[in-house]
Amino acid sequence: MGLDSHRVELLLALFGVANAVWSVVLTHITTRKAKADMRQIAETLTASFSQIAAELVRNRKPSSGRRIT
Amino acid sequence: MSLPDLSLARVFYDRAREVYLETRPSIDVTPDQLLAIASDVSTQLELVRLVRELNDPEFRQLLILFLEDAADKLEEAAGNADDAADLLDRAGLAPAVTVTTGAIALTLATGGAAVPVVVVFLGAGGMIALGFGRTTLKSKSRREKSGAKKLLSLAAKLKGV
């Protein structure tokens, strides 16, 4: 009986430690990923602007040609 | 209270113009800078004034498309932050509450044995970490959603130029 309660305590302690570690790791990973998302947005914004600008310039060339004629 | 930085709108406008005229390789603008322009009426009006003075419909269209695209990206990031907060609830908070509740019950049943008491503290620590993470993610999501709205509002103002 004494051994059983000792085992239960050990199991509970393991659960407690595992849960605390898991909670901290999960929090760390999710918040870090959220910060990385923002950095990624900054990079894609710059690329996206150039892409839209290039697209507009490409579309403009034939139309400006039409305007000249 | 600080005064709005009108030069921010000017810098953004100049850089955008240079990229459009292919004299600059990239615009190098951060979401924070865009939000600073979109968050203040004075800087918004400054950008609208600059675009109106230039009177180039294609350049105006470029800015509108860019702002709408940036708003989409912010909305997406807000959605990701919400998903991450839900993950913390499901995979973190629920087990932590179960373990802590069990440990509290055991503490009461054993009359304050050392191990359950320690586990209660561990569980509480885990819950505090998760709560902090959840709050951070939710506030980030709110900021991004509100930022996306501001960018769309600025895009709408430019459409009216």
Side-chain angles (χ1 to χ4, degrees):
Chain A
M1 188 67 188
L3 191 66
D4 279 350
S5 77
H6 185 70
R7 277 186 182 165
V8 168
E9 281 193 349
L10 191 68
L11 207 62
L12 186 66
L14 281 174
F15 264 127
V17 172
N19 179 65
V21 170
W22 168 244
S23 302
V24 172
V25 168
L26 189 65
T27 304
H28 179 69
I29 290 172
T30 48
T31 47
R32 223 177 104 174
K33 191 188 168 296
K35 280 178 193 159
D37 272 356
M38 210 56 181
R39 275 197 299 275
Q40 203 188 348
I41 289 178
E43 285 165 20
T44 53
L45 271 186
T46 297
S48 132
F49 188 88
S50 304
Q51 200 182 342
I52 299 169
E55 194 66 36
L56 281 175
V57 168
R58 208 171 24 248
N59 289 339
R60 180 186 55 194
K61 275 168 185 164
S63 70
S64 61
R66 273 199 302 277
R67 248 182 262 142
I68 291 165
T69 55
Chain B
M1 195 181 132
S2 62
L3 288 169
D5 187 4
L6 291 180
S7 63
L8 208 54
R10 179 87 224 183
V11 169
F12 171 67
Y13 170 86
D14 285 343
R15 284 187 187 178
R17 191 80 190 135
E18 283 166 20
V19 174
Y20 180 62
L21 297 173
E22 296 172 323
T23 56
R24 186 189 172 92
S26 66
I27 189 162
D28 295 326
V29 67
T30 65
D32 287 341
Q33 287 168 331
L34 270 185
L35 289 179
I37 296 169
S39 300
D40 192 277
V41 179
S42 319
T43 46
Q44 279 189 19
L45 291 176
E46 175 70 0
L47 185 64
V48 168
R49 185 186 66 77
L50 290 167
V51 172
R52 186 184 293 126
E53 278 176 9
L54 182 71
N55 194 23
D56 179 345
E58 279 176 4
F59 180 66
R60 185 172 60 98
Q61 183 66 12
L62 168 63
L63 294 185
I64 291 167
L65 288 173
F66 176 63
L67 289 171
E68 286 175 346
D69 186 49
D72 272 353
K73 286 184 168 66
L74 280 181
E75 282 279 1
E76 200 180 313
N80 289 344
D82 277 338
D83 288 348
D86 288 344
L87 180 71
L88 286 188
D89 284 348
R90 280 197 316 274
L93 218 49
V97 168
T98 309
V99 168
T100 311
T101 311
I104 289 171
L106 216 61
T107 304
L108 295 175
T110 57
V115 172
V117 172
V118 170
V119 174
V120 169
F121 279 104
L122 285 172
M127 284 196 288
I128 289 169
L130 290 161
F132 170 76
R134 194 183 187 284
T135 309
T136 307
L137 289 167
K138 281 286 178 189
S139 87
K140 183 178 177 296
S141 161
R142 268 195 303 277
R143 252 197 334 270
E144 285 165 351
K145 279 178 190 160
S146 128
K149 276 186 194 158
K150 285 170 185 166
L151 290 179
L152 288 176
S153 150
L154 179 56
K157 282 191 177 82
L158 288 175
K159 278 179 190 169
V161 168

